[in-house]
Amino acid sequence: MLTEDLLQDARGIADRITALRRAIHAEPELGLDTPKTLAKVKAELAGLPLEWREGPSCTGAVAVLNAGKPGRSVLLRGDMDALPMPEETGLDFASTVPGRMHACGHDTHTAMLAGAARVLAGRAAALAGEVRFMFQPGEEGYHGARFMIDDGLLNPFPDAAFALHIMPNAPHGVIGSRAGTLLASADMLEIAVVGRGGHASMPHQTRDPIPVACEIVMALQAMVTRRFEATEAVVVTVTQIDAGTAHNVIPDRALLKGTIRTLSPEKRQAVWADIRRVAENIAAAHDCAAEVTVTEGFPPTVNDARAIALAEAVATALPGGKFMHMPAPIMGAEDFSYVLEKVPGMMAFLGVAEEGADWQHCCGIHSSHMHVDESVLPRGTAFLAGCARRFLDKGWD
């Protein structure tokens, strides 16, 4: 079977996939500027029949495989940037850059995608159509996918798009996803409560913004539970409160910061309006003012049901393959959502806990102790290659 052959091919280059992953892991880069990572990818894929496209806004690149036979086009995506956090794994190939770590698995995503490019390039003569390999920086809040789209690197848009994200606290080798919304939108919230400061011993002569800010925090929690259905999750989390300079001084301002997560564009707009109304009116009731700023982040990540059916067929056709239909979305966010706004497709998760491990208690993504069982990576490579090959061969049938 084709999928079995793809897994065999991927296992045949397992050392290359692992070596690339470790080289990227040891030298993490942040944001939209990942030139060393891209150089490692290009060196690994040197000599393959790939046409490279790059744009002015970031170090993102698209490698195009086209053997000249007419057909459909499909995009596979991997992200390249790391996180600004320390690494405490003790690995031999741990980060050599203080304060940076590949704690979200982007090193593995890039390595698996490069592996898929090598596997499919070895079968280029059999490909009818075009495969594009999207190596993307700036996923961790920098909107790298949007920059690449704006630079025209995906033009004309492909017929389908697929991405894979590792999950270190999920069963070894299991691929999981769901039709519809998989991940939430993520917006940044700031509320500046403006009052009038003064001496802490005479609060009646001031308009103290601190209790007003605290009241807003609590009211936002009640707003979420009373204004939105429990069946469609909405999250408003205040994570920072900044106010004051001394123990005996009431400040003029108190600043709240946090995150807003929703699962649909409609709820996204509604929660913005409700936050503004709650904050402004509570502040006004205390003769203060509230300045609400919402910085728009990633939109929801929405999977096409046809792409999920295709992914399940590919995953279960791989020897030993398992596919799990996730019962509910995850409230994290992903900027592959920008691609899926333009192109039908899907993102799936790959469990990379060690085989037989108590995976539920493994460190998750964004942990400074996160570990990956690298033996799973060829399966991810074969899955990506299989999705591309099946779509080129059969479309959504």
Side-chain angles (χ1 to χ4, degrees):
M1 294 179 63
L2 175 62
T3 46
E4 186 172 349
D5 292 343
L6 291 174
L7 183 56
Q8 184 176 346
D9 289 354
R11 285 173 172 165
I13 60 168
D15 289 347
R16 302 187 75 126
I17 297 170
T18 299
L20 178 59
R21 182 255 166 159
R22 293 184 177 189
I24 294 171
H25 189 94
E27 200 169 15
E29 297 177 291
L30 304 179
L32 297 169
D33 192 30
T34 58
K36 294 178 181 179
T37 304
L38 182 59
K40 291 179 176 72
V41 171
K42 286 186 171 182
E44 165 57 22
L45 299 180
L48 298 182
L50 299 170
E51 173 196 340
W52 288 88
R53 302 176 184 172
E54 298 180 53
S57 298
C58 64
T59 55
V62 176
V64 180
L65 178 64
N66 191 324
K69 294 182 179 180
R72 304 175 182 90
S73 61
V74 60
L75 180 140
L76 305 176
R77 177 271 210 166
D79 36 10
M80 300 189 292
D81 58 319
L83 286 159
M85 58 181 287
E87 177 165 354
E88 300 174 292
T89 60
L91 294 168
D92 293 339
F93 53 91
S95 172
T96 59
V97 184
R100 296 183 184 181
M101 179 189 174
H102 270 289
C104 199
H106 296 187
D107 51 340
T108 67
H109 304 165
T110 300
M112 289 187 292
L113 181 60
R118 181 168 291 279
V119 166
L120 290 173
R123 296 170 173 267
L127 296 179
E130 181 175 276
V131 187
R132 305 182 202 171
F133 306 93
M134 180 182 179
F135 294 96
Q136 181 217 304
E139 193 282 326
E140 294 291 351
Y142 290 87
H143 307 273
R146 191 185 68 197
F147 279 103
M148 292 183 70
I149 290 170
D150 291 345
D151 283 346
L153 296 183
L154 274 60
N155 292 342
F157 287 116
D159 300 312
F162 298 89
L164 190 60
H165 197 300
I166 65 152
M167 196 64 74
N169 52 347
H172 178 95
V174 173
I175 293 172
S177 193
R178 69 190 308 273
T181 304
L182 176 70
L183 293 158
S185 62
D187 302 312
M188 187 171 70
L189 173 65
E190 288 191 3
I191 303 174
V193 181
V194 182
R196 186 176 70 244
H199 201 292
S201 67
M202 293 172 278
H204 60 286
Q205 295 180 357
T206 72
R207 294 294 179 265
D208 190 347
I210 292 179
V212 180
C214 294
E215 187 173 333
I216 290 172
V217 172
M218 299 307 294
L220 291 177
Q221 310 313 305
M223 177 203 79
V224 167
T225 62
R226 293 298 179 267
R227 296 282 297 172
F228 296 94
E229 304 94 323
T231 54
E232 182 172 6
V234 170
V235 174
V236 178
T237 302
V238 176
T239 57
Q240 292 178 262
I241 301 178
D242 184 14
T245 57
H247 77 282
N248 59 351
V249 176
I250 291 173
D252 292 319
R253 294 167 60 92
L255 183 64
L256 306 174
K257 293 185 179 181
T259 188
I260 307 168
R261 306 293 173 115
T262 57
L263 297 176
S264 70
E266 296 76 21
K267 291 294 187 290
R268 193 181 193 189
Q269 295 292 328
V271 76
W272 292 353
D274 283 351
I275 288 171
R276 192 175 304 278
R277 182 168 55 252
V278 166
E280 290 177 351
N281 283 285
I282 288 176
H286 296 279
D287 201 16
C288 292
E291 301 168 355
V292 179
T293 303
V294 176
T295 302
E296 190 171 340
F298 302 156
T301 302
V302 182
N303 288 334
D304 190 290
R306 298 169 299 172
I308 292 296
L310 184 152
E312 181 178 12
V314 171
T316 55
L318 292 170
K322 296 179 182 178
F323 187 89
M324 179 182 70
H325 285 275
M326 297 167 55
I330 295 175
M331 298 309 288
E334 240 292 341
D335 83 344
F336 188 59
S337 55
Y338 290 119
V339 177
L340 294 182
E341 283 187 323
K342 307 288 186 181
V343 182
M346 69 99 221
M347 169 173 274
F349 294 105
L350 172 65
V352 293
E354 291 186 5
E355 193 160 13
D358 182 7
W359 54 268
Q360 290 177 308
H361 292 91
C362 292
C363 292
I365 56 174
H366 292 218
S367 165
S368 61
H369 299 277
M370 190 194 82
H371 279 267
V372 171
D373 183 348
E374 294 173 327
S375 70
V376 186
L377 302 186
R379 181 172 294 276
T381 284
F383 173 75
L384 288 170
C387 287
R389 183 62 190 271
R390 184 180 177 95
F391 182 77
L392 293 184
D393 289 347
K394 298 183 178 182
W396 297 122
D397 292 339

